[in-house]
Amino acid sequence: MRVACIGAGPGGLMLALLLRRLGGHEVDVYERSPAGATYGFGVVFSRFSLARLRRAAPDVVAALLDRGARWDDVEVRRDGERVRSSGHGFAAVERRGLLTALTELAEEAGARLHFGTEADATELLGRYDVVVAADGSGSRTRTAFAQQFGAQVVPGRGRYAWFGVDRAFDAMTFLFADSAYGPVGAHVYPYGPDRSTFLVELGERAWERAGFTEGATKPPGWNDEQAMAFCAEVFAEHLRGAKLLGNGSRWLAFPHISGARWSSGRLVGLGDAVHTAHFSVGSGTTLALEDAVELARRLTEHGDDVPAALAAYEETRRPIVESVQQAAWASLRMWSHPEEHRALDPATLMLRLLTRTGQSAADVLLRLDPQLAKIGDGVTALPEGPVPSLVPSAGSAAPGDALLLAPGARPPAGHEGPLLVTADEQAQERLSALRAELPDRVLGLLVEAPEPAEEPVSALVDSVTALAAAVPLNIVAVAPGAGLPAADRTARSALAERLTATGTPTAYVCRPNELSQGWTHVRAARATAVWTTQT
């Protein structure tokens, strides 16, 4: 086949390389920027992403590791204290170095690369069998075909600025500091012997108070000197005289990009052109490379049947991408609401960071790093002593269990544990009646986790806090929802964290086989207590 790729980022170059190797297809890559021109600094990979990529292109991974940095530790710094965890496994490479390696390999494989060349998807469709949009989050192709892709672009609420620094930190380092405008955070990691990425985040409220220049309105390559000076001052004790470096560095809002479809006819998208995942989970480049691996495989496997190839590509990749996007949303919201964790001690903050996507449990983390058992007052996989169960009113409840009352049900005589009602239209009326009848009892509300996204979680938090203001509640129980397991865990942890941040005592309800995970959320101060279901 004849394939045109718009964009010579990592995803586009990997696709060109593999299409040549797997099927000997004719491939032209069109890139509007000159060869070697790029923004940003280091690109990070987890050990898991490297293992997946190594199966498809071992020489790409070898080139990456030869040119970059590797480390195992994560460090949190706040208020002059440091806490470190090991066993995580990361690698990073300068973005320019990654692009150089991929360019060389793609050209060696026979791909034709056209730098400094504008390309129009409509025109290319008249000359090629397949046209691939790999032109990044600012994709002109996606914009031109927005209706066909069902594309949605939602800007993030906080702001970030991407710098380099002329010193190699020795770990994935999370810095937390206070500024005149509010809390500020930074992700710092090495990508060479004397260079690190230094990515600074300002929460929405701090951004509004600061009134910094809107970087999105400036031309490419513009550096925000005011932003650089601000960040250098805030993090001076960590920089220790090292200099921040700019490369198109300015305050930006991270866009969440999704689409109902990734292809339209013979036009298909990959990477940030059709989906983004917040950089705090380090998956943007990985997703683009893995998209390229799958698309190249499907186009080669299905021969001339382009619709079947594109359908198989999306069917395979979409669930994986959406799972990463859900986890990335949970990570993003932690960084965009720094006031919610400002009071945490560094050890608790470390645990919250390691579990911010809602998927990790203490037993897994302790296998990676047994030393976590010594941070703070010690991380344990399970709580000491019995854990209350959430029991339906018709069930058999132990004295300390929480009882979920069915509509019209009366509290059984002698049961002294918490009494809960389900969040529905009658919840306030039922709770008011119970409060009047049993003024000293522990009363609560049971809510099910919604889908893991900002709007449904925020709406549920608002409705619960309004009810809690009208009828004093002792606890809100966050129970499993109807979503798929991974999405449900992400939503439950985020909802519990948000409710706890409002001052609402919160119980994380989990199935018995998820107790380690539920307990982890208590230890990370997302929830006040953990309860289990009976099955």
Side-chain angles (χ1 to χ4, degrees), residues 378-389:
V379 174
T380 58
L382 296 172
E384 296 180 3
V387 174
S389 293

Side-chain angles (χ1 to χ4, degrees), residues 95-160:
R95 182 176 174 83
R96 193 186 309 276
L98 174 61
L99 291 174
T100 298
L102 286 169
T103 296
E104 292 171 354
L105 291 169
E107 289 181 327
E108 288 173 8
R112 296 184 292 261
L113 309 184
H114 310 276
F115 290 99
T117 305
E118 293 282 356
D120 175 75
T122 301
E123 187 274 330
L124 293 176
L125 285 166
R127 299 191 286 122
Y128 291 87
D129 300 308
V130 180
V131 176
V132 182
D135 45 349
S137 59
S139 172
R140 295 183 180 182
T141 311
R142 182 193 64 246
T143 301
F145 288 81
Q147 185 173 356
Q148 290 90 330
F149 283 120
Q152 291 187 323
V153 182
V154 181
R157 296 184 176 181
R159 293 296 188 277
Y160 72 94

Side-chain angles (χ1 to χ4, degrees), residues 73-85:
D73 291 1
V74 174
E75 183 170 283
V76 169
R77 301 183 188 179
R78 169 176 274 173
D79 297 333
E81 296 186 57
R82 299 186 182 193
V83 176
R84 185 170 281 223
S85 173

Side-chain angles (χ1 to χ4, degrees), residues 105-334:
L105 291 169
E107 289 181 327
E108 288 173 8
R112 296 184 292 261
L113 309 184
H114 310 276
F115 290 99
T117 305
E118 293 282 356
D120 175 75
T122 301
E123 187 274 330
L124 293 176
L125 285 166
R127 299 191 286 122
Y128 291 87
D129 300 308
V130 180
V131 176
V132 182
D135 45 349
S137 59
S139 172
R140 295 183 180 182
T141 311
R142 182 193 64 246
T143 301
F145 288 81
Q147 185 173 356
Q148 290 90 330
F149 283 120
Q152 291 187 323
V153 182
V154 181
R157 296 184 176 181
R159 293 296 188 277
Y160 72 94
W162 199 0
F163 304 103
V165 61
D166 60 356
R167 179 166 72 84
F169 283 63
D170 65 350
M172 173 69 76
T173 307
F174 296 113
L175 308 177
F176 297 91
D178 293 316
S179 74
Y181 312 112
V184 186
H187 322 232
V188 188
Y189 57 85
Y191 62 84
D194 58 355
R195 290 289 186 273
S196 298
T197 292
F198 202 97
L199 210 161
V200 182
E201 296 210 49
L202 265 182
E204 183 178 14
R205 295 179 185 175
W207 163 258
E208 291 172 349
R209 284 192 287 266
F212 286 127
T213 301
E214 177 55 77
T217 63
K218 300 297 182 180
W222 179 78
N223 283 308
D224 188 338
E225 298 296 335
Q226 182 186 22
M228 189 178 295
F230 167 76
C231 295
E233 179 181 358
V234 168
F235 295 109
E237 69 171 293
H238 306 288
L239 290 169
R240 294 184 303 173
K243 182 182 178 182
L244 290 182
L245 310 171
N247 181 10
S249 304
R250 78 282 296 282
W251 294 115
L252 297 170
F254 186 85
H256 176 80
I257 296 170
S258 59
R261 295 163 296 282
W262 292 359
S263 64
S264 175
R266 294 178 290 112
L267 174 66
V268 62
L270 66 75
D272 283 355
V274 286
H275 55 71
T276 56
H278 190 251
F279 47 76
S280 62
V281 296
S283 293
T285 300
T286 296
L287 289 178
L289 293 173
E290 292 180 353
D291 280 358
V293 171
E294 186 64 23
L295 181 56
R297 183 171 77 88
R298 294 299 186 175
L299 287 172
T300 301
E301 180 182 273
H302 286 272
D304 293 335
D305 192 348
V306 172
L310 301 188
Y313 156 68
E314 183 169 346
E315 182 180 1
T316 302
R317 290 295 299 159
R318 181 179 282 275
I320 298 167
V321 167
E322 289 182 347
S323 177
V324 174
Q325 285 183 309
Q326 290 161 357
W329 163 76
S331 182
L332 161 65
R333 72 154 317 280
M334 180 176 176

Side-chain angles (χ1 to χ4, degrees), residues 321-369:
V321 167
E322 289 182 347
S323 177
V324 174
Q325 285 183 309
Q326 290 161 357
W329 163 76
S331 182
L332 161 65
R333 72 154 317 280
M334 180 176 176
W335 286 97
S336 58
H337 297 276
E339 66 281 353
E340 293 183 3
H341 53 74
R342 176 62 190 90
L344 299 182
D345 63 89
T348 304
L349 180 58
M350 168 68 84
L351 189 57
R352 183 175 286 195
L353 278 164
L354 295 179
T355 61
R356 62 191 182 277
T357 66
Q359 305 302 320
S360 301
D363 55 350
V364 175
L365 294 174
L366 286 165
R367 286 198 294 272
L368 290 173
D369 181 11

